[in-house]
Amino acid sequence: MSLRILSGTRPTGKLHLGNLLGAIENYKKLQGQDSFFMIADWHALTTEYESHTEIADNVYEVITDYLAGGLDPEQCTIFVQSEVPEHAELALMLGMITPLGWLERNPTYKDQLKELAGRELHTYGFLGYPVLQAADILLYKAVKVPVGEDQLPHLELTREIARRFHHLYGAEVFPEPEAILTEVPRIPGLDGRKMSKSYNNCIYLADSPDVVIKKVKSMVTDPGRKRREDKGNPEVCPVFFYHKLLNADQVDTVASECREAQRGCVDCKLEMAGKLNEFMDPIRERREKWVRQKDQVKDILARGRVRAREVASETMAEVMAAVGLRRPKERVK
Ligand code: TRP
Ligand code: SF4
């Protein structure tokens, strides 16, 4: 059998180009293998718990974007974390054996506390975020986990937790998972920083062509190029990043004209926006189709849940037997 793969996305809103190029494109290469793509709604709740949430609506946005981006439910399993209760069970179990120090030292945790400073995140659930993520991965005995670089500490913790489990209970239940990092470098947003919902600098898969043109027009360019006569440096220009990605035929011309001040940024942006819209058209078409077929989306999730639970319940039975909470082979349905 091919390698088991699992990854997840927190449903905190519509997906943007950074998610598409950084994550979904990676997933697409892996579908067809034994792959599970999860919508991590419990993980969204760790930071969005403060009022009645919109997480359930966002679950639909994310799966619609997954499908629009080209994930094929015939070739992979798409499911919602909270619909598979074994995630919560295994997270609770792994919490028993995870030392607090491992979680408190986690660099992603420390960064997030700073970044989301307006929210009260000194909670048990937020500190335990990586324990839940370890449960997600280990439940499926995944060996490959496509993620961004920021998730590497969580994978390291997952391996440490698995080793500790094996050491304590003398049973090798879990393989040690490894990351598959995205090939595309950091995707710049409209302001040149990493594209991220919290920076409000995103182009969304659901954006209409007009919105895309408007957003691209507002993009920052080479900050050293103040006037049309100034020679530019395309390598520091986020507009050029997209030319490299989407305009392979013209990219050399764009670069040399920019360096020689032979092209203006407005025209350069319009050319790029055209390419971007061409790239996004089929995605938008698929998105509109799935938005109209919500019942089919529900079906996809229902099938995903069944398939995910098959695997998850097997693993959970092994875990309970290893720990000694249930006798081997005894299964509670
Ligand atoms: N923490 C991941 C993120 O923010 C999402 C996630 C949850 C995940 N569970 C996972 C990723 C399991 C990979 C595997 O991007
Ligand atoms: Fe960027 Fe194009 Fe302007 Fe050069 S001409 S700075 S590549 S937008």
Side-chain angles (χ1 to χ4, degrees):
M1 211 196 335
S2 58
L3 297 177
R4 172 72 52 78
I5 292 153
L6 176 125
S7 192
T9 309
R10 275 175 306 143
T12 53
K14 288 186 166 68
L15 299 187
H16 51 68
L17 279 179
N19 301 122
L20 176 78
L21 300 167
I24 301 179
E25 286 296 332
N26 224 7
Y27 297 175
K28 270 162 64 182
K29 287 192 213 127
L30 300 165
Q31 65 181 356
Q33 303 189 47
D34 188 11
S35 48
F36 288 77
F37 300 115
M38 174 186 79
I39 301 170
D41 54 349
W42 281 126
H43 275 114
L45 197 64
T46 62
T47 56
E48 314 285 316
Y49 66 88
E50 279 185 89
S51 52
H52 181 90
T53 75
E54 288 160 17
I55 294 173
D57 293 336
N58 288 335
V59 166
Y60 274 94
E61 296 292 350
V62 173
I63 183 186
T64 309
D65 283 329
Y66 268 3
L67 296 167
L71 277 195
D72 174 358
E74 300 298 323
Q75 301 213 54
C76 61
T77 302
I78 302 175
F79 71 99
V80 181
Q81 186 185 35
S82 70
E83 292 182 2
V84 179
E86 285 82 0
H87 289 256
E89 277 184 71
L90 185 57
L92 182 66
M93 168 58 228
L94 297 177
M96 306 296 169
I97 66 169
T98 306
L100 275 180
W102 291 6
L103 300 174
E104 286 160 349
R105 273 196 304 272
N106 168 17
T108 311
Y109 174 67
K110 290 197 260 177
D111 286 354
Q112 289 267 303
L113 275 188
K114 262 188 243 144
E115 198 158 305
L116 303 172
R119 291 198 205 145
E120 178 43 48
L121 288 177
H122 290 94
T123 60
Y124 173 61
F126 189 62
L127 182 66
Y129 185 112
V131 180
L132 180 58
Q133 186 161 344
D136 298 337
I137 296 167
L138 298 176
L139 208 42
Y140 298 88
K141 303 188 179 184
V143 289
K144 295 284 178 190
V145 183
V147 281
E149 225 163 17
D150 62 320
Q151 296 296 310
L152 291 180
H154 291 161
L155 269 166
E156 185 55 34
L157 265 168
T158 302
R159 288 190 289 270
E160 278 170 326
I161 293 172
R163 272 182 230 134
R164 188 159 161 81
F165 184 96
H166 296 155
H167 170 75
L168 288 169
Y169 304 112
E172 292 278 323
V173 177
F174 308 116
E176 287 196 10
E178 272 175 38
I180 304 179
L181 289 177
T182 353
E183 280 161 30
V184 189
R186 208 175 72 109
I187 313 296
L190 303 175
D191 57 0
R193 290 187 291 175
K194 175 184 168 178
M195 191 177 283
S196 161
K197 198 182 153 218
S198 50
Y199 295 153
N200 202 9
N201 64 358
C202 299
I203 295 175
Y204 292 97
L205 302 190
D207 284 346
S208 69
D210 287 349
V211 169
V212 169
I213 293 173
K214 212 171 116 217
K215 285 186 175 176
V216 170
K217 279 186 180 163
S218 78
M219 241 168 140
V220 301
T221 59
D222 170 7
R225 196 174 183 213
K226 299 253 175 333
R227 283 159 307 170
R228 174 75 172 73
E229 311 79 70
D230 295 338
K231 294 185 174 181
N233 174 7
E235 290 307 330
V236 300
C237 174
V239 177
F240 187 68
F241 174 93
Y242 289 93
H243 275 292
K244 277 194 286 195
L245 205 65
L246 303 166
N247 197 8
D249 291 349
Q250 295 300 318
V251 67
D252 293 339
T253 314
V254 174
S256 64
E257 289 182 356
C258 172
R259 287 203 181 90
E260 297 306 320
Q262 285 164 355
R263 84 166 28 219
C265 291
V266 176
D267 291 339
C268 189
K269 286 173 170 179
L270 287 176
E271 182 179 336
M272 187 277 263
K275 290 287 169 190
L276 184 52
N277 272 330
E278 261 172 48
F279 170 76
M280 290 175 70
D281 276 340
I283 299 172
R284 276 190 285 253
E285 247 167 61
R286 279 195 296 263
R287 198 176 199 288
E288 278 158 26
K289 184 187 108 193
W290 286 111
V291 166
R292 275 182 262 115
Q293 302 182 336
K294 205 162 172 190
D295 283 348
Q296 285 193 32
V297 175
K298 283 188 184 156
D299 269 2
I300 291 168
L301 290 182
R303 275 184 278 135
R305 171 178 181 274
V306 169
R307 169 82 187 109
R309 282 208 81 186
E310 267 168 28
V311 179
S313 63
E314 288 273 343
T315 308
M316 204 52 215
E318 280 178 59
V319 167
M320 296 297 260
V323 174
L325 287 178
R326 249 175 240 155
R327 282 184 288 283
K329 299 241 151 42
E330 181 188 340
R331 294 271 294 279
V332 181
K333 282 276 170 196

